[in-house]
Amino acid sequence: EAAVTQSPRNKVAVTGGKVTLSCNQTNNHNNMYWYRQDTGHGLRLIHYSYGAGSTEKGDIPDGYKASRPSQENFSLILELATPSQTSVYFCASGAREGTEVFFGKGTRLTVV
Amino acid sequence: GDSVTQTEGQVALSEEDFLTIHCNYSASGYPTLFWYVQYPGEGPQLLFRASRDKEKGSSRGFEATYDKGTTSFHLRKASVQESDSAVYYCALSDQETGNTGKLIFGLGTTLQVQP
């Protein structure tokens, strides 16, 4: 079973502050992804990566940065958090030629 | 751009009822289609996928058939159980790169099954 671990699981941040969400996978997958989940929008892709040192913009990248320092780790960074970024964030990983991705349990972020 | 439409936002059934959740997509070519299921407190997990016209995907009693003519991939199950209560997402993947993790999701359908 693929393992994707997100930390923290819950986070309260202040408007204008910097937030870093972390994701670790132990499956040696090349590809990793960050999604956010909102009522009325489903899940939407923010950033993704094809391997260490690589980051690509997804469908809604504005206000977010990503970092992939190693095969195992992929971070999502909110330099200046806003209340509109209150959401549940999911990290996922998948093999380069894989047929599915594996999601973590999510991070609930509240920006006040 | 590509999109996925799930008609039902919420579905309430009793055990042993028949389930249908409608999914229609808009995309050029042949996107790969997926059904993901999400249980409370968990991330989505793949139920099954289909890649070509008339291909049937199935798992755990759920099934859906890729229909390019009607651009549909409706989820069905003959007899639901209380343990099937979850949120179900229809999705399609990026055709340009073939990256099965670059997904476009529908809004999701919450299934509640009463005993």
Side-chain angles (χ1 to χ4, degrees):
Chain A
E1 179 78 14
V4 178
T5 304
Q6 295 183 229
S7 62
R9 294 294 314 281
N10 291 280
K11 172 78 175 177
V12 178
V14 295
T15 298
K18 181 177 181 177
V19 177
T20 300
L21 307 183
S22 300
C23 178
N24 175 272
Q25 54 100 359
T26 58
N27 306 293
N28 200 31
H29 286 160
N30 292 100
N31 298 345
M32 295 187 74
Y33 311 83
W34 277 106
Y35 285 87
R36 64 177 284 177
Q37 182 178 47
D38 303 284
T39 302
H41 291 280
L43 289 103
R44 294 176 290 173
L45 181 63
I46 305 170
H47 283 289
Y48 60 101
S49 168
Y50 288 120
S54 141
T55 61
E56 306 287 340
K57 293 181 178 179
D59 298 321
I60 53 164
D62 293 346
Y64 302 93
K65 290 173 53 178
S67 174
R68 182 87 182 270
S70 65
Q71 180 83 333
E72 298 78 20
N73 295 295
F74 190 39
S75 297
L76 185 68
I77 303 155
L78 291 66
E79 295 277 7
L80 295 170
T82 69
S84 65
Q85 294 175 313
T86 293
S87 186
V88 180
Y89 291 85
F90 287 96
C91 177
S93 74
R96 179 181 289 124
E97 302 297 333
T99 59
E100 69 175 293
V101 290
F102 299 88
F103 285 84
K105 293 181 181 293
T107 294
R108 182 174 297 276
L109 173 67
T110 303
V111 183
V112 298
Chain B
D2 296 352
S3 65
V4 175
T5 301
Q6 290 180 237
T7 308
E8 299 87 357
Q10 296 193 45
V11 174
L13 296 173
S14 299
E15 280 193 328
E16 300 184 10
D17 281 350
F18 189 92
L19 168 71
T20 300
I21 298 176
H22 295 93
C23 172
N24 288 89
Y25 69 91
S26 174
S28 57
Y30 273 93
T32 298
L33 303 176
F34 303 80
W35 277 102
Y36 276 81
V37 58
Q38 183 179 21
Y39 299 101
E42 302 287 328
Q45 56 185 263
L46 180 68
L47 197 52
F48 54 80
R49 64 196 286 270
S51 301
R52 56 188 182 276
D53 193 23
K54 301 298 186 279
E55 180 179 356
K56 178 189 284 188
S58 63
S59 175
R60 312 182 212 174
F62 292 89
E63 62 179 39
T65 300
Y66 193 135
D67 190 332
K68 185 168 174 60
T70 59
T71 61
S72 66
F73 193 54
H74 305 317
L75 181 68
R76 294 186 168 93
K77 187 175 186 183
S79 176
V80 296
Q81 302 300 310
E82 188 177 6
S83 58
D84 294 327
S85 297
V87 180
Y88 293 82
Y89 287 98
C90 184
L92 60 81
S93 65
D94 179 71
Q95 298 178 77
E96 191 173 320
T97 63
N99 186 331
T100 56
K102 286 185 65 183
L103 296 164
I104 295 173
F105 285 87
L107 297 187
T109 298
T110 300
L111 171 65
Q112 185 66 46
V113 181
Q114 299 294 331

